[in-house]
Amino acid sequence: MAFTPTKETYSGKVYSVTIGTGDGAVTFGGENVLPFHSFEGAAPNKPVIAYEIQDVPPADWPENVQKPFAAVSGDPVTWAKHCQDELKATALALRLVGTHPDRENRSAEEAAKTVKDVLAAIKVPLIILGSNHPEKDSSVLVAASEAAKGGNCVIGKAQEANYKTIAAAAMANNHKLIAMSELDINLSKQLNILITQMGFEKERLITDPMCSALGYGLEYTYSVMERIRLAALTQNDATMQPPMLGDIGMYVWKVKETQAPEADLPHWGALEERGIAWEAMTATGLLVAGAELLIMRHPKAVAEVQKTIAELI
Amino acid sequence: MALSGVEIFKLLPKTNCKKCGHPTCLAFAMKLAQRQATLESCPDVSEEAKKILGEASAPPVRPITFGAGDKAVKMGEETVLFRHDKKFVNPCAFAVEIPDTLAEAEMASLSEQVVQSEIDRVGQKLRIDAIVLTNASGDAGKLEAAAKVVAAKATGVPVIINTTNAQAAEAAMKHVGDKRPILYGANASNVEAMAAVAKANKAILGIAANGLEELSTLTEKVKSLGVEDMVIDSGARKAKEIIENNTLIRRAAVKKNFKPLGYPIINFMQREDGLHEALVASTGVAKYASIVVLSSVEKWKNLALFTLRQNIYTDPQVPMQVEQKVYNIGDPKAGSPLFITTNFSLTYFIVSGEIENSKVASRLAVMDCEGLSVLTAWAAGKFTASKIAQFITESGIEKEIAEKELIIPGYVAILSGSIEDKLPGWKITVGPREANAIPAFLKTRG
């Protein structure tokens, strides 16, 4: 029996999104095939990994992921420059976690100043993230969007509870926008529709179907991403065609596997390697499911994922 | 291609005799089409219909059991391309390569690591499943000696003999041949001799091809030589080609019912860098590998790969559950807080993780709600005041704690009064709605 490969041609295509300005700008998305299926279509851009930095020192990060940034993480500008210049980051994600009312409760003005300072110091694109407190994010991200005007940044995350103000701010200041819903393809679709109904262009959106760490619900994120990507390609569903984000570091570096010492759990093996592997494998899993933009923390994990991407394309 | 219910119906006796337990032949046909019934239930079906239906209902990827005894590995039986379409059936096996050029002590040590690799996670026992013994020396005597060491040091672990030399294969089979091993290395130039060894030892034959065209030709040839059980290797080694070929193989099997590629896939993924190897292996786990061959089995790497495999192969329709009991987090004292939640594994992991992050030793009572999350379980009547009261009473936890206080999830605040009624002497405290607020909640309690 002669073998004829079953190649698929899809009617839809993922939007390609460019962030940043000038030489530092990067583009992701744009493919008309499933992830790493360039044998049957076009995948012009490779996934982008952004290094996560914070407006406050990462005292809440586990020691093994604090360590690589110990000399620089006291100040967001120094930290940003270190990632860009030493680690050769192609993008940065500044999480304004210090604005959370349960944390330092920094004001929107303080956050805006941090954004301005970081942007002035770097050439690579900036993703600006709130503290995931829907009310506080409304004011913080509005101020941050204004402060970053002209930077072609990514603002996130707009959720059901606060999308109106955040989307309006991103639109007014010409940024891209992350729309996050909680692990449900229909909620994700609905939020994208609501945001575009405000006049926000769908080509400027990035979908975050909510990340989960390896062993802690990764299969849910994995399947929601696969289903979103299939809807975009096979059904040509425009509301499902923005590229997808995997906000990896934040979810990975709080699970037990990245923190429990080998002395307590000898059968789990070396802690440092285990933590890095946990972040890198969560990232690889979501790339295979369809993520085009990743936010990660550990330099070794980032390097290993990049090496794997190079082998996949 | 699988037959539709109506196509199956045409082949049935159409007597509506109900002997199969279904009201009509059509109803039975529909169940057959959904693979929820088997043809054996029909006593009157014709031999011809059996043959046609048997072939059509055979899973597109042939079911094969590799190894023998309690460490045997089931492979194949897959029916879909995406796990959300139904589920992935038989978790892929991890195998570590042992070259026959290693010193005996190193072989023994690797064998030992495989034997010791078992880890329990969410009630499942996960381990490195198999050993690939590679004839790197090219020498039949060395392969045989190595097979003897592995058979003795890794008793019961399924073995893949990796050689292109049929004499060497024959020699190795003396030590592993009775355990349903895989003989990997059949190619265009040795296929007759290798098939003969596999047949004589009832071994599964591993086909080493260069491309999918050659692979299809080789499996047909092997089948004609009388060996039905095979694992297939398209020759892909780079991650990009592995995804491409594995996808084309699974598509051919599932969408076209193309039998020459309807076998479990073996992928050789050894890399010098252990973490890179783990990441490449993870793409194989997600995309259709039945056996992934590794070069090393560090514990941290095993844990990550086992967990990924468990995630990918979880049945999307059956929530993962944890055992009902009161879990200690940290080293709780009599005065430590007591939380309650449901036994959906994700709920348990997130709640226990946040309690752990708060660094406040606590007890977490996990109640069997058939794997539903808090709100769903409450809505389904499985997380109710009387059931919670019964569970807490029967757990006997009150003997271990100083103050009878139970912290319930904020989403079921509405239950607090009725739980207090049903648990006399207990104070019910409403905790946060979301687990990520637990550290702040515990902090305010001081």
Side-chain angles (χ1 to χ4, degrees), chain A residues 56-194:
Chain A
V56 289
D60 55 323
W61 292 14
E63 194 196 336
N64 280 327
V65 68
Q66 274 193 39
K67 232 174 14 188
F69 305 106
V72 295
S73 59
D75 166 57
V77 172
T78 319
W79 194 355
K81 284 178 79 95
H82 172 79
C83 291
Q84 173 186 273
D85 300 336
E86 305 302 322
L87 302 174
K88 309 293 172 209
T90 48
L92 294 178
L94 170 63
R95 199 181 299 279
L96 299 164
V97 69
T99 61
H100 196 286
D102 293 344
R103 295 282 304 260
E104 288 79 355
N105 200 15
R106 292 188 164 200
S107 67
E109 292 71 33
E110 285 174 277
K113 181 172 184 314
T114 307
V115 167
K116 256 201 167 112
D117 292 348
V118 168
L119 258 186
I122 59 170
K123 293 193 283 292
V124 296
L126 187 65
I127 299 165
I128 301 164
L129 302 166
S131 63
N132 204 22
H133 185 279
E135 285 160 43
K136 187 73 184 279
D137 278 2
S138 295
S139 59
V140 167
L141 291 175
V142 168
S145 291
E146 284 165 12
K149 192 176 176 92
N152 190 21
C153 298
V154 180
I155 305 294
K157 301 170 179 177
Q159 305 183 45
E160 196 192 351
N162 62 12
Y163 73 90
K164 281 186 182 157
T165 44
I166 297 173
M171 190 155 57
N173 298 290
N174 235 351
H175 298 302
K176 307 298 190 293
L177 180 69
I178 300 167
M180 185 182 96
S181 48
E182 295 188 355
L183 287 178
D184 182 311
I185 184 170
N186 295 312
L187 291 179
S188 168
K189 185 179 162 79
Q190 184 190 322
L191 183 60
N192 286 357
I193 291 172
L194 289 172

Side-chain angles (χ1 to χ4, degrees), chain A residues 3 6 8 38-40 215-220 222-223 226-227 256 278 304 307-308 311 313, chain B residues 82-84 121 216 239-240 244 251 255 261 271 273 275-276 279 286-287 307 311 344 346 349 356:
Chain A
F3 171 71
T6 312
E8 304 276 0
S38 53
F39 59 92
E40 57 191 359
Y216 295 82
L218 180 70
E219 69 271 33
Y220 293 89
Y222 182 92
S223 281
E226 268 198 336
R227 291 176 64 202
K256 195 171 175 186
W278 224 256
E304 290 285 346
K307 194 166 154 187
T308 305
E311 204 185 311
I313 56 172
Chain B
F82 302 100
R83 61 184 295 280
H84 61 256
R121 193 172 190 282
S216 314
K240 173 184 158 70
E244 174 176 344
R251 272 187 199 160
K255 298 183 91 166
L261 295 181
R271 298 287 186 282
D273 169 351
L275 179 51
H276 183 53
L279 299 185
K287 291 295 166 191
T307 307
N311 284 172
F344 176 36
L346 212 53
F349 278 138
E356 222 160 272

Side-chain angles (χ1 to χ4, degrees), chain B residues 39-269:
Chain B
L39 197 58
E40 284 86 69
S41 313
C42 177
D44 303 322
V45 70
S46 71
E47 282 306 314
E48 191 211 346
K50 257 189 210 168
K51 189 167 175 292
I52 299 172
L53 288 172
E55 274 171 24
S57 66
V61 183
R62 187 178 169 82
I64 295 175
T65 301
F66 163 38
D70 57 0
K71 289 187 175 167
V73 177
K74 284 171 87 180
M75 305 184 294
E77 291 187 83
E78 304 299 336
T79 57
V80 294
L81 280 154
F82 302 100
R83 61 184 295 280
H84 61 256
D85 283 339
K86 190 161 184 211
K87 64 170 179 177
F88 288 172
V89 182
N90 286 317
C92 84
F94 294 119
V96 65
E97 181 180 39
I98 301 184
D100 66 357
T101 44
L102 286 188
E104 190 176 327
E106 288 175 76
M107 288 186 202
S109 144
L110 264 171
S111 303
E112 185 70 10
Q113 286 178 44
V114 171
V115 172
Q116 304 278 328
S117 66
E118 191 167 285
I119 289 172
D120 194 303
R121 193 172 190 282
V122 210
Q124 290 182 1
K125 293 204 183 315
L126 311 167
R127 59 174 170 261
I128 296 294
D129 307 273
I131 288 172
V132 179
L133 193 51
T134 298
N135 191 196
S137 67
D139 180 86
K142 282 226 164 92
L143 186 66
E144 186 185 345
K148 201 174 164 188
V149 173
V150 167
K153 299 288 177 190
T155 316
V157 176
V159 174
I160 301 170
I161 299 294
N162 175 12
T163 181
T164 50
N165 175 345
Q167 281 84 41
E170 186 75 69
M173 285 296 153
K174 285 182 217 153
H175 304 285
V176 298
D178 59 335
K179 297 280 183 358
R180 216 172 143 63
I182 293 174
L183 170 55
Y184 170 88
N187 57 33
S189 54
N190 68 8
V191 62
E192 279 92 357
M194 293 288 274
V197 177
K199 200 172 173 184
N201 292 284
K202 296 193 176 62
I204 301 154
L205 193 60
I207 313 298
N210 187 14
L212 299 175
E213 183 78 50
E214 188 187 64
L215 187 56
S216 314
T217 316
L218 278 170
T219 58
E220 289 282 84
K221 171 95 180 174
V222 168
K223 202 175 166 193
S224 75
L225 293 167
V227 176
E228 302 247 3
D229 288 339
M230 289 173 248
V231 295
I232 56 177
D233 171 17
S234 67
R237 293 293 179 271
K238 200 182 153 207
K240 173 184 158 70
E241 276 93 50
I242 288 171
I243 286 201
E244 174 176 344
N245 283 357
N246 287 10
T247 302
L248 292 173
I249 289 171
R250 178 69 69 86
R251 272 187 199 160
V254 167
K255 298 183 91 166
K256 304 285 179 192
N257 207 16
F258 183 70
K259 291 295 176 194
L261 295 181
Y263 299 96
I265 297 169
I266 182 168
N267 287 138
F268 289 82
M269 295 180 147

Side-chain angles (χ1 to χ4, degrees), chain A residues 188-267:
Chain A
S188 168
K189 185 179 162 79
Q190 184 190 322
L191 183 60
N192 286 357
I193 291 172
L194 289 172
I195 291 173
T196 48
Q197 278 172 349
M198 292 174 56
F200 197 95
E201 293 169 298
K202 53 189 183 298
E203 296 84 353
R204 304 175 66 83
L205 273 177
I206 294 159
T207 299
D208 179 2
M210 195 164 162
C211 187
S212 342
L214 177 62
Y216 295 82
L218 180 70
E219 69 271 33
Y220 293 89
T221 304
Y222 182 92
S223 281
V224 171
M225 281 190 169
E226 268 198 336
R227 291 176 64 202
I228 288 177
R229 191 48 75 241
L230 282 165
L233 298 175
T234 62
Q235 294 156 29
N236 197 14
D237 181 345
T239 63
M240 302 268 75
Q241 287 171 339
M244 290 187 286
L245 166 73
D247 191 358
I248 310 287
M250 179 173 92
Y251 287 87
V252 165
W253 291 102
K254 66 177 183 189
V255 307
K256 195 171 175 186
E257 282 79 353
T258 59
Q259 308 189 41
E262 191 177 6
D264 293 355
L265 291 158
H267 57 291

